[in-house]
Amino acid sequence: MPVAFYPGTFDPITNGHIDIAVRATRIFTRVIAVVAENPAKHHLFSANERFELVKEAFRGVPKIEVIRYPGLIVDCLREHNASVLIRGLRALSDFDYEFQMAFTNRNMLTGAETVFLMPSAKYVYLNSTMVKEIAKLGGDVGPFVPECVRKRFKKKFAGTRR
Ligand code: ADP
């Protein structure tokens, strides 16, 4: 199987993202996580922080590479002469948006295919927004994110809570 690109904002990377990427490595020979740099979107973590955390989370996973990309994912695919995208599907609520994205990407790049993978049931209700809320309010995000992200949250919100 060819290389697959796994794009996302990863603000920040969670165990749900990791679950999907690792699943993808069982199907594809190489998986490239692409950290999107959309300056118009508001993120808690900077592009640099998001990139560093994704790299740290996948350190030691041989089939996963991490890159950052400032433009459209189809241009990233073109540049790498690739055509496969990985996306995660949690609940039905993801479907409409993902469906639109998959068709739009295929309209922009003929031959672009999106492969959807479902995470382990324990990550079905996990998303970055919820994790940020928990961290902001002083909760323990340990079960939801890799250790590097837990530490970064601690640093970011140090002093804002007890
Ligand atoms: P979002 O699209 O929700 O802003 P990302 O861009 O970081 O978040 O997500 C990248 C991809 O990872 C998307 O396909 C998203 O559905 C998937 N993903 C995120 N969290 C999970 C999870 N808990 N389980 C499965 N897939 C997930």
Side-chain angles (χ1 to χ4, degrees):
M1 282 298 234
V3 58
F5 284 69
Y6 180 37
T9 47
F10 303 104
D11 187 37
I13 185 163
T14 69
N15 292 341
H17 290 118
I18 294 171
D19 178 287
I20 295 293
V22 169
R23 269 171 215 283
T25 64
R26 297 182 195 134
I27 306 171
F28 296 92
T29 45
R30 211 151 53 98
V31 173
I32 304 184
V34 185
V35 181
E37 286 179 30
N38 181 352
K41 258 192 169 177
H42 177 75
H43 301 301
L44 176 65
F45 294 98
S46 69
N48 214 25
E49 282 178 299
R50 289 183 284 121
F51 176 60
E52 290 302 326
L53 289 171
V54 176
K55 269 203 314 195
E56 180 69 32
F58 290 127
R59 181 154 300 151
V61 186
K63 288 168 87 180
I64 301 179
E65 262 172 61
V66 185
I67 63 170
R68 47 199 286 181
Y69 195 77
L72 290 170
I73 190 64
V74 285
D75 289 329
C76 180
L77 288 179
R78 261 189 210 107
E79 281 173 25
H80 289 85
N81 206 14
S83 60
V84 181
L85 292 172
I86 298 288
R87 295 289 289 178
L89 271 189
R90 283 158 287 192
L92 205 58
S93 49
D94 279 342
F95 186 79
D96 195 41
Y97 175 72
E98 292 295 341
F99 200 67
Q100 282 181 39
M101 284 272 292
F103 272 102
T104 305
N105 284 329
R106 201 196 259 160
N107 284 341
M108 288 190 289
L109 177 65
T110 307
E113 297 295 349
T114 305
V115 174
F116 294 103
L117 296 175
M118 290 179 296
S120 161
K122 62 180 184 262
Y123 300 133
V124 157
Y125 294 108
L126 182 59
N127 63 59
S128 299
T129 305
M130 218 180 309
V131 166
K132 281 182 276 193
E133 286 300 308
I134 296 168
K136 247 184 240 171
L137 297 172
D140 177 19
V141 293
F144 311 123
V145 296
E147 183 57 15
C148 57
V149 172
R150 194 189 64 78
K151 279 193 189 144
R152 189 62 65 98
F153 267 130
K154 219 170 163 189
K155 229 164 123 186
K156 204 165 214 56
F157 294 128
T160 61
R161 301 277 307 167
R162 266 173 300 134

